[in-house]
Amino acid sequence: EPAAPAPLPEAGVIYFDFDKYNLRPDAQAALDDMIFDIKDRQLGGIISAGHTDTAGPPPYNMELSQRRADTVAEALIKAGIPAQIITTEAFGETDLAVPTPDNTPDQANRRVVVDFTS
């Protein structure tokens, strides 16, 4: 009997600085670990979902969350993950990890969630 495929990795979270979409060193290290875990796996898809905190206007945050999702997707592609299995989504400040009032900077909400599908 063939061995059961290994379970999909847990979703990963990459954090960003306030009003930034570049990967800081700890985010790059987390992404490198994630890439190592998935490099030789058969994955159906990867979703890079960008988020922001509530500081700043919602339309700007939607755009910023898309830039963050794109940054992570580009890093995955650069690492050799096939572009055709990567989808990006932008949530802006609509799906907070930690509920906060409007105009509240919060590191936990400035993130990209990377999820895997079989």
Side-chain angles (χ1 to χ4, degrees):
E1 254 180 65
L8 289 174
E10 293 287 314
V13 181
I14 307 295
Y15 293 100
F16 290 82
D17 286 333
F18 180 75
D19 199 26
K20 301 282 191 228
Y21 57 92
N22 59 304
L23 292 172
R24 57 192 200 198
D26 63 319
Q28 184 63 61
L31 196 54
D32 289 345
D33 288 346
M34 198 182 302
I35 290 163
F36 179 81
D37 285 346
I38 64 172
K39 195 78 168 166
D40 299 315
R41 305 279 297 268
Q42 281 300 112
L43 295 171
I46 298 174
I47 300 165
S48 173
H51 301 267
T52 67
D53 57 27
T54 60
Y60 177 84
N61 283 337
M62 191 59 78
E63 201 173 291
L64 179 59
S65 68
Q66 183 64 58
R67 286 196 187 112
R68 289 175 175 167
D70 290 345
T71 294
V72 171
E74 287 161 16
L76 291 168
I77 293 164
K78 205 165 107 184
I81 306 300
Q84 64 269 23
I85 70 166
I86 301 171
T87 306
T88 62
E89 295 179 346
F91 290 94
E93 57 185 70
T94 64
D95 185 22
L96 300 173
V98 177
T100 60
D102 198 26
N103 289 313
T104 306
D106 192 309
Q107 174 65 86
N109 290 325
R110 295 190 302 266
R111 70 204 192 283
V112 167
V113 178
V114 182
D115 214 349
F116 308 97
T117 60
S118 49

